[in-house]
Amino acid sequence: QVQVVESGGGLVQPGGSLRLSCAASGFTLDYAAIGWFRQAPGKEREGVSCISSSNTTRHADSVKGRFTISRDNAKNTVYLQMNSLKPDDTAVYYCAVDRRLFRTCVLASAEYDYWGQGTQVTVSS
C-alpha cells in the first residue's frame, strides 16, 4: 500500500522557521521526483519546491533563497526547510510523489501521482 504522509506544520511568527517532512511507505523515494505544493484559502494550488532523483531542485520565485528541499534516502523521507517565513506562506502544504523513474521534477501538480493529506502552516504574529 502506497502512502505519503506530511508532518511538521504548525504556527510560527513571521521570520521564523519550520521544517516539513514527507515520509513515504510502500515504495522507495530514491528514484522518484517529489514536490511540495501549497494551497491557501481562496487561492489556487501552487508548486513550491521539488527534488528529482538526481537531487536537482526547483523552487518557486516566491520562496527562492528562503526554502530548501532535501532528501534522506535512508529514512525514505524528503524535507522542506522553510526559513524567513512570511504571512503569505500560510497555507496547507502537500507532499506529492511522481513514481516515474528518473524524472526531472516540475512544479506542476498534474505530474504527480500520490499525495499526502496535507499539513497546515500558519505564519502570524
Side-chain angles (χ1 to χ4, degrees), residues 100-120:
R100 293 175 292 183
L101 274 62
F102 306 113
R103 298 282 290 186
T104 299
C105 77
V106 294
L107 296 175
S109 60
E111 300 295 325
Y112 295 85
D113 305 303
Y114 301 99
W115 293 75
Q117 82 290 343
T119 185
Q120 176 71 48

PDB file of all heavy atoms in Angstrom, residues 100-120:
ATOM      1  N   ARG A 100       7.351   7.803 -11.518  1.00  0.00           N
ATOM      2  CA  ARG A 100       8.071   7.514 -12.752  1.00  0.00           C
ATOM      3  C   ARG A 100       9.566   7.668 -12.505  1.00  0.00           C
ATOM      4  O   ARG A 100      10.023   8.643 -11.919  1.00  0.00           O
ATOM      5  CB  ARG A 100       7.606   8.428 -13.880  1.00  0.00           C
ATOM      6  CG  ARG A 100       6.167   8.176 -14.305  1.00  0.00           C
ATOM      7  CD  ARG A 100       5.696   9.186 -15.339  1.00  0.00           C
ATOM      8  NE  ARG A 100       5.585  10.509 -14.762  1.00  0.00           N
ATOM      9  CZ  ARG A 100       5.136  11.560 -15.423  1.00  0.00           C
ATOM     10  NH1 ARG A 100       4.751  11.441 -16.699  1.00  0.00           N
ATOM     11  NH2 ARG A 100       5.068  12.740 -14.827  1.00  0.00           N
ATOM     12  N   LEU A 101      10.323   6.678 -12.926  1.00  0.00           N
ATOM     13  CA  LEU A 101      11.732   6.612 -12.593  1.00  0.00           C
ATOM     14  C   LEU A 101      12.542   7.702 -13.274  1.00  0.00           C
ATOM     15  O   LEU A 101      12.348   7.997 -14.463  1.00  0.00           O
ATOM     16  CB  LEU A 101      12.304   5.246 -12.966  1.00  0.00           C
ATOM     17  CG  LEU A 101      12.165   4.118 -11.937  1.00  0.00           C
ATOM     18  CD1 LEU A 101      10.708   3.801 -11.645  1.00  0.00           C
ATOM     19  CD2 LEU A 101      12.901   2.886 -12.424  1.00  0.00           C
ATOM     20  N   PHE A 102      13.435   8.276 -12.525  1.00  0.00           N
ATOM     21  CA  PHE A 102      14.443   9.206 -13.028  1.00  0.00           C
ATOM     22  C   PHE A 102      13.849  10.405 -13.748  1.00  0.00           C
ATOM     23  O   PHE A 102      14.413  10.906 -14.724  1.00  0.00           O
ATOM     24  CB  PHE A 102      15.429   8.465 -13.932  1.00  0.00           C
ATOM     25  CG  PHE A 102      16.047   7.268 -13.291  1.00  0.00           C
ATOM     26  CD1 PHE A 102      15.764   5.993 -13.747  1.00  0.00           C
ATOM     27  CD2 PHE A 102      16.901   7.412 -12.214  1.00  0.00           C
ATOM     28  CE1 PHE A 102      16.335   4.882 -13.147  1.00  0.00           C
ATOM     29  CE2 PHE A 102      17.474   6.312 -11.602  1.00  0.00           C
ATOM     30  CZ  PHE A 102      17.188   5.042 -12.076  1.00  0.00           C
ATOM     31  N   ARG A 103      12.730  10.856 -13.263  1.00  0.00           N
ATOM     32  CA  ARG A 103      12.104  12.042 -13.837  1.00  0.00           C
ATOM     33  C   ARG A 103      12.719  13.297 -13.245  1.00  0.00           C
ATOM     34  O   ARG A 103      13.074  13.345 -12.065  1.00  0.00           O
ATOM     35  CB  ARG A 103      10.600  12.045 -13.567  1.00  0.00           C
ATOM     36  CG  ARG A 103       9.843  10.876 -14.193  1.00  0.00           C
ATOM     37  CD  ARG A 103       9.626  11.089 -15.665  1.00  0.00           C
ATOM     38  NE  ARG A 103       8.677  12.160 -15.917  1.00  0.00           N
ATOM     39  CZ  ARG A 103       8.223  12.483 -17.123  1.00  0.00           C
ATOM     40  NH1 ARG A 103       8.654  11.829 -18.191  1.00  0.00           N
ATOM     41  NH2 ARG A 103       7.357  13.477 -17.268  1.00  0.00           N
ATOM     42  N   THR A 104      12.830  14.305 -14.070  1.00  0.00           N
ATOM     43  CA  THR A 104      13.197  15.622 -13.584  1.00  0.00           C
ATOM     44  C   THR A 104      11.943  16.307 -13.063  1.00  0.00           C
ATOM     45  O   THR A 104      10.941  16.410 -13.771  1.00  0.00           O
ATOM     46  CB  THR A 104      13.835  16.459 -14.693  1.00  0.00           C
ATOM     47  OG1 THR A 104      15.023  15.816 -15.159  1.00  0.00           O
ATOM     48  CG2 THR A 104      14.196  17.844 -14.180  1.00  0.00           C
ATOM     49  N   CYS A 105      11.984  16.753 -11.834  1.00  0.00           N
ATOM     50  CA  CYS A 105      10.775  17.276 -11.223  1.00  0.00           C
ATOM     51  C   CYS A 105      10.360  18.605 -11.830  1.00  0.00           C
ATOM     52  O   CYS A 105      11.191  19.376 -12.321  1.00  0.00           O
ATOM     53  CB  CYS A 105      10.953  17.416  -9.710  1.00  0.00           C
ATOM     54  SG  CYS A 105      11.922  18.838  -9.172  1.00  0.00           S
ATOM     55  N   VAL A 106       9.070  18.850 -11.779  1.00  0.00           N
ATOM     56  CA  VAL A 106       8.489  20.109 -12.229  1.00  0.00           C
ATOM     57  C   VAL A 106       7.478  20.566 -11.192  1.00  0.00           C
ATOM     58  O   VAL A 106       6.946  19.767 -10.415  1.00  0.00           O
ATOM     59  CB  VAL A 106       7.806  19.978 -13.601  1.00  0.00           C
ATOM     60  CG1 VAL A 106       8.837  19.673 -14.678  1.00  0.00           C
ATOM     61  CG2 VAL A 106       6.731  18.895 -13.572  1.00  0.00           C
ATOM     62  N   LEU A 107       7.201  21.850 -11.191  1.00  0.00           N
ATOM     63  CA  LEU A 107       6.254  22.414 -10.234  1.00  0.00           C
ATOM     64  C   LEU A 107       4.862  22.483 -10.847  1.00  0.00           C
ATOM     65  O   LEU A 107       4.235  23.548 -10.913  1.00  0.00           O
ATOM     66  CB  LEU A 107       6.732  23.788  -9.769  1.00  0.00           C
ATOM     67  CG  LEU A 107       8.049  23.787  -8.995  1.00  0.00           C
ATOM     68  CD1 LEU A 107       8.480  25.214  -8.687  1.00  0.00           C
ATOM     69  CD2 LEU A 107       7.920  22.977  -7.710  1.00  0.00           C
ATOM     70  N   ALA A 108       4.382  21.337 -11.274  1.00  0.00           N
ATOM     71  CA  ALA A 108       3.059  21.211 -11.866  1.00  0.00           C
ATOM     72  C   ALA A 108       2.366  20.020 -11.228  1.00  0.00           C
ATOM     73  O   ALA A 108       2.855  18.895 -11.311  1.00  0.00           O
ATOM     74  CB  ALA A 108       3.145  21.039 -13.374  1.00  0.00           C
ATOM     75  N   SER A 109       1.241  20.258 -10.604  1.00  0.00           N
ATOM     76  CA  SER A 109       0.585  19.229  -9.816  1.00  0.00           C
ATOM     77  C   SER A 109       0.151  18.027 -10.638  1.00  0.00           C
ATOM     78  O   SER A 109       0.103  16.906 -10.123  1.00  0.00           O
ATOM     79  CB  SER A 109      -0.618  19.814  -9.071  1.00  0.00           C
ATOM     80  OG  SER A 109      -1.570  20.344  -9.974  1.00  0.00           O
ATOM     81  N   ALA A 110      -0.155  18.230 -11.922  1.00  0.00           N
ATOM     82  CA  ALA A 110      -0.641  17.144 -12.759  1.00  0.00           C
ATOM     83  C   ALA A 110       0.406  16.071 -12.989  1.00  0.00           C
ATOM     84  O   ALA A 110       0.068  14.965 -13.413  1.00  0.00           O
ATOM     85  CB  ALA A 110      -1.127  17.694 -14.096  1.00  0.00           C
ATOM     86  N   GLU A 111       1.651  16.359 -12.723  1.00  0.00           N
ATOM     87  CA  GLU A 111       2.719  15.400 -12.954  1.00  0.00           C
ATOM     88  C   GLU A 111       2.864  14.382 -11.827  1.00  0.00           C
ATOM     89  O   GLU A 111       3.609  13.418 -11.976  1.00  0.00           O
ATOM     90  CB  GLU A 111       4.045  16.131 -13.126  1.00  0.00           C
ATOM     91  CG  GLU A 111       4.069  17.105 -14.299  1.00  0.00           C
ATOM     92  CD  GLU A 111       3.934  16.406 -15.633  1.00  0.00           C
ATOM     93  OE1 GLU A 111       4.454  15.279 -15.775  1.00  0.00           O
ATOM     94  OE2 GLU A 111       3.301  16.979 -16.530  1.00  0.00           O
ATOM     95  N   TYR A 112       2.158  14.570 -10.746  1.00  0.00           N
ATOM     96  CA  TYR A 112       2.368  13.748  -9.554  1.00  0.00           C
ATOM     97  C   TYR A 112       1.219  12.781  -9.321  1.00  0.00           C
ATOM     98  O   TYR A 112       0.048  13.109  -9.551  1.00  0.00           O
ATOM     99  CB  TYR A 112       2.588  14.643  -8.336  1.00  0.00           C
ATOM    100  CG  TYR A 112       3.855  15.450  -8.472  1.00  0.00           C
ATOM    101  CD1 TYR A 112       3.863  16.659  -9.149  1.00  0.00           C
ATOM    102  CD2 TYR A 112       5.058  14.974  -7.953  1.00  0.00           C
ATOM    103  CE1 TYR A 112       5.036  17.381  -9.305  1.00  0.00           C
ATOM    104  CE2 TYR A 112       6.227  15.694  -8.105  1.00  0.00           C
ATOM    105  CZ  TYR A 112       6.213  16.892  -8.784  1.00  0.00           C
ATOM    106  OH  TYR A 112       7.379  17.604  -8.934  1.00  0.00           O
ATOM    107  N   ASP A 113       1.566  11.600  -8.837  1.00  0.00           N
ATOM    108  CA  ASP A 113       0.619  10.503  -8.714  1.00  0.00           C
ATOM    109  C   ASP A 113       0.033  10.348  -7.321  1.00  0.00           C
ATOM    110  O   ASP A 113      -1.154  10.039  -7.171  1.00  0.00           O
ATOM    111  CB  ASP A 113       1.305   9.185  -9.101  1.00  0.00           C
ATOM    112  CG  ASP A 113       1.925   9.221 -10.474  1.00  0.00           C
ATOM    113  OD1 ASP A 113       1.191   9.499 -11.448  1.00  0.00           O
ATOM    114  OD2 ASP A 113       3.144   8.972 -10.579  1.00  0.00           O
ATOM    115  N   TYR A 114       0.846  10.508  -6.308  1.00  0.00           N
ATOM    116  CA  TYR A 114       0.435  10.251  -4.941  1.00  0.00           C
ATOM    117  C   TYR A 114       0.612  11.485  -4.092  1.00  0.00           C
ATOM    118  O   TYR A 114       1.640  12.159  -4.164  1.00  0.00           O
ATOM    119  CB  TYR A 114       1.237   9.080  -4.346  1.00  0.00           C
ATOM    120  CG  TYR A 114       1.062   7.797  -5.125  1.00  0.00           C
ATOM    121  CD1 TYR A 114       2.010   7.394  -6.041  1.00  0.00           C
ATOM    122  CD2 TYR A 114      -0.069   7.010  -4.937  1.00  0.00           C
ATOM    123  CE1 TYR A 114       1.851   6.221  -6.769  1.00  0.00           C
ATOM    124  CE2 TYR A 114      -0.240   5.843  -5.658  1.00  0.00           C
ATOM    125  CZ  TYR A 114       0.720   5.456  -6.574  1.00  0.00           C
ATOM    126  OH  TYR A 114       0.554   4.299  -7.287  1.00  0.00           O
ATOM    127  N   TRP A 115      -0.390  11.739  -3.273  1.00  0.00           N
ATOM    128  CA  TRP A 115      -0.433  12.943  -2.466  1.00  0.00           C
ATOM    129  C   TRP A 115      -0.672  12.619  -1.007  1.00  0.00           C
ATOM    130  O   TRP A 115      -1.413  11.697  -0.672  1.00  0.00           O
ATOM    131  CB  TRP A 115      -1.545  13.870  -2.951  1.00  0.00           C
ATOM    132  CG  TRP A 115      -1.306  14.428  -4.309  1.00  0.00           C
ATOM    133  CD1 TRP A 115      -1.435  13.785  -5.499  1.00  0.00           C
ATOM    134  CD2 TRP A 115      -0.892  15.760  -4.618  1.00  0.00           C
ATOM    135  NE1 TRP A 115      -1.121  14.636  -6.538  1.00  0.00           N
ATOM    136  CE2 TRP A 115      -0.790  15.854  -6.025  1.00  0.00           C
ATOM    137  CE3 TRP A 115      -0.606  16.884  -3.840  1.00  0.00           C
ATOM    138  CZ2 TRP A 115      -0.406  17.027  -6.669  1.00  0.00           C
ATOM    139  CZ3 TRP A 115      -0.227  18.055  -4.475  1.00  0.00           C
ATOM    140  CH2 TRP A 115      -0.134  18.112  -5.878  1.00  0.00           C
ATOM    141  N   GLY A 116      -0.055  13.391  -0.149  1.00  0.00           N
ATOM    142  CA  GLY A 116      -0.327  13.275   1.266  1.00  0.00           C
ATOM    143  C   GLY A 116      -1.581  14.035   1.649  1.00  0.00           C
ATOM    144  O   GLY A 116      -2.249  14.660   0.818  1.00  0.00           O
ATOM    145  N   GLN A 117      -1.903  13.986   2.926  1.00  0.00           N
ATOM    146  CA  GLN A 117      -3.129  14.608   3.424  1.00  0.00           C
ATOM    147  C   GLN A 117      -2.981  16.095   3.685  1.00  0.00           C
ATOM    148  O   GLN A 117      -3.983  16.790   3.874  1.00  0.00           O
ATOM    149  CB  GLN A 117      -3.578  13.899   4.710  1.00  0.00           C
ATOM    150  CG  GLN A 117      -2.874  14.338   5.990  1.00  0.00           C
ATOM    151  CD  GLN A 117      -1.420  13.925   6.078  1.00  0.00           C
ATOM    152  OE1 GLN A 117      -0.962  13.041   5.356  1.00  0.00           O
ATOM    153  NE2 GLN A 117      -0.684  14.564   6.979  1.00  0.00           N
ATOM    154  N   GLY A 118      -1.771  16.587   3.710  1.00  0.00           N
ATOM    155  CA  GLY A 118      -1.517  17.995   3.941  1.00  0.00           C
ATOM    156  C   GLY A 118      -1.200  18.304   5.388  1.00  0.00           C
ATOM    157  O   GLY A 118      -1.642  17.614   6.304  1.00  0.00           O
ATOM    158  N   THR A 119      -0.425  19.352   5.591  1.00  0.00           N
ATOM    159  CA  THR A 119      -0.114  19.836   6.925  1.00  0.00           C
ATOM    160  C   THR A 119      -0.228  21.356   6.925  1.00  0.00           C
ATOM    161  O   THR A 119       0.248  22.031   6.009  1.00  0.00           O
ATOM    162  CB  THR A 119       1.285  19.372   7.385  1.00  0.00           C
ATOM    163  OG1 THR A 119       1.510  19.767   8.737  1.00  0.00           O
ATOM    164  CG2 THR A 119       2.389  19.939   6.503  1.00  0.00           C
ATOM    165  N   GLN A 120      -0.880  21.888   7.936  1.00  0.00           N
ATOM    166  CA  GLN A 120      -1.172  23.313   7.994  1.00  0.00           C
ATOM    167  C   GLN A 120       0.036  24.090   8.489  1.00  0.00           C
ATOM    168  O   GLN A 120       0.626  23.765   9.523  1.00  0.00           O
ATOM    169  CB  GLN A 120      -2.358  23.580   8.922  1.00  0.00           C
ATOM    170  CG  GLN A 120      -2.686  25.064   9.115  1.00  0.00           C
ATOM    171  CD  GLN A 120      -3.280  25.695   7.878  1.00  0.00           C
ATOM    172  OE1 GLN A 120      -4.202  25.140   7.279  1.00  0.00           O
ATOM    173  NE2 GLN A 120      -2.755  26.858   7.488  1.00  0.00           N
TER     174      GLN A 120
END
